[in-house]
Amino acid sequence: MRPFTYAAPDTVAATVSALHIAQPGTRILAGGTTLYDLMKLDIETPPAVLDVHRIAELRTIEAGPRELVLGAGARMADVADHPAVKAAYPGLSESLWRAASQQLRIMATVGGNLLQRTRCPYFRNGPEFPCNKRRPGSGCAAVGGHDRTHALLGGSDACIATYAGDFAVMLIAFDAVVDVVGPDGERTVPLAGLHVEPGDDPAREHVLAPDELIVRIRVPATPAARGSTYLKIRDRESYAFALAAAGVGVTVEADGAVGDCRIGLGGVATRPWRAMEAERTLIGRPLTPQSARRAGEAAFAGARAGAENGFRIELGVRTVADALRIAGERAIR
């Protein structure tokens, strides 16, 4: 790990001021569960870090009748186990409980989780592997390489690294937004617009400026959120990233037809992925095993398989269909 300077501002305003005058490459330290790993691997080499974990206004959890408001510094475990989150947003709670290990969930923050870096092994395993995300213009070893865990959706010739987070998948399904603060004040960014596909510039992963800080995440309270689930399929149950995941919320009308449907895909795309065409196949129609299967097929209609990851298309279809069944049962309780 290379030397760096450390500071711990005690307010959001002080943090933004420090970011505005900071050296290029300065990083925000929240839980540190990803940043320290990358610094030890010499992938992240910040000249300075700003530790925000002591800022009390970033750690709040407030559940109101119209929305859930999470401070960006709230711990994943605290949000996952909050009674209001479990009752009104069960899929959101599950997306956090099924991410990482208990030790990581206790330390990691929800804001940091949103912006976690990719888990692509070619990105993390050293300079002998070309990686456009780590060293722009060097190439992508995953394209044509071992791609079992790489993205089926949203990739490019420059990068097929999978976005590894679970929480953001449920947030994008619920139309959540993030409030960010920078030198010019506060602005709101829809979750759907926060992360970007790699295109020909994989090093750019989100739309935030270097001197902006996420301060809160807001999730609308909806009937679909109450009838939601997060289903994650992985190589081992205890702790692993998703081979395929689906964050689903539905409502079911008195006549049995689906009134509202939200589907987010995880572990299969370069960013949190909303499957809106799949949602449209269900709205106004009964939720049956057959219609759920068709929705899953629609969700993966644009999937592009590589040499080793093609099996995850069918896995993803079945994951969506199973998640719809679980969410449908919750919606009619």
Side-chain angles (χ1 to χ4, degrees):
M1 184 182 291
R2 302 185 187 186
F4 61 93
T5 62
Y6 171 89
D10 55 7
T11 66
V12 168
T15 303
V16 172
S17 295
L19 281 172
H20 188 52
I21 60 173
Q23 299 179 64
T26 294
R27 293 287 184 263
I28 295 169
L29 175 67
T33 54
T34 293
L35 181 61
Y36 283 148
D37 283 349
L38 295 176
M39 290 171 69
K40 287 185 282 188
L41 291 169
D42 214 24
I43 295 170
E44 289 277 6
T45 56
V49 300
L50 295 174
D51 185 345
V52 298
H53 88 277
R54 298 172 185 165
I55 302 177
E57 64 185 284
L58 294 180
R59 298 198 299 269
T60 55
I61 302 173
E62 299 175 357
R66 302 183 64 175
E67 64 180 6
L68 173 69
V69 183
L70 305 172
R75 304 294 182 185
M76 290 173 63
D78 292 337
V79 176
D81 205 31
H82 194 285
V85 177
K86 294 171 72 174
Y89 308 83
L92 203 62
S93 174
E94 291 167 355
S95 74
L96 291 164
W97 277 123
R98 290 172 178 158
S101 66
Q102 176 70 353
Q103 292 91 340
L104 289 171
R105 290 191 295 266
I106 288 172
M107 194 66 200
T109 67
V110 290
N113 184 267
L114 287 185
L115 300 184
Q116 64 180 289
R117 303 296 307 275
T118 179
R119 294 285 167 176
C120 173
Y122 295 110
F123 170 75
R124 291 180 173 249
N125 285 349
E128 64 268 31
F129 299 110
C131 174
N132 289 317
K133 191 181 286 290
R134 176 166 33 82
R135 193 168 67 251
S138 61
C140 176
V143 175
H146 294 294
D147 58 11
R148 181 176 182 271
T149 60
H150 287 78
L152 299 159
L153 297 161
S156 71
D157 292 339
C159 182
I160 54 172
T162 303
Y163 176 81
D166 300 291
F167 181 52
V169 175
M170 209 71 251
L171 291 178
I172 200 170
F174 291 160
D175 294 324
V177 301
V178 295
D179 295 328
V180 302
V181 176
D184 298 326
E186 186 168 316
R187 68 185 179 109
T188 296
V189 180
L191 217 294
L194 177 63
H195 301 87
V196 296
E197 294 176 22
D200 58 3
D201 185 13
R204 180 173 175 266
E205 298 177 339
H206 55 75
V207 300
L208 301 187
D211 54 2
E212 287 186 315
L213 174 72
I214 296 178
V215 290
R216 69 187 74 86
I217 301 160
R218 293 188 284 119
V219 193
T222 65
R226 286 195 295 275
S228 65
T229 189
Y230 186 76
L231 183 60
K232 180 176 180 178
I233 308 301
R234 44 192 165 179
D235 281 324
R236 63 178 189 272
E237 184 59 25
S238 61
Y239 173 24
F241 296 98
L243 293 172
V248 169
V250 299
T251 64
V252 178
E253 305 294 333
D255 62 359
V258 173
D260 191 5
C261 180
R262 316 292 185 89
I263 302 174
L265 304 180
V268 295
T270 55
R271 59 176 174 80
W273 198 267
R274 180 86 178 262
M276 300 189 77
E277 183 58 35
E279 297 170 0
R280 285 190 281 270
T281 69
L282 277 172
I283 293 175
R285 297 181 175 86
L287 178 56
T288 66
Q290 293 75 25
S291 66
R293 166 81 195 187
R294 286 194 295 273
E297 291 171 346
F300 284 86
R304 189 170 67 173
E308 300 174 353
N309 61 0
F311 76 98
R312 289 168 48 229
I313 296 177
E314 174 62 20
L315 182 65
V317 170
R318 296 187 186 195
T319 302
V320 170
D322 285 350
L324 284 165
R325 176 184 55 78
I326 297 168
E329 291 173 354
R330 290 180 176 177
I332 59 177
R333 284 177 186 169

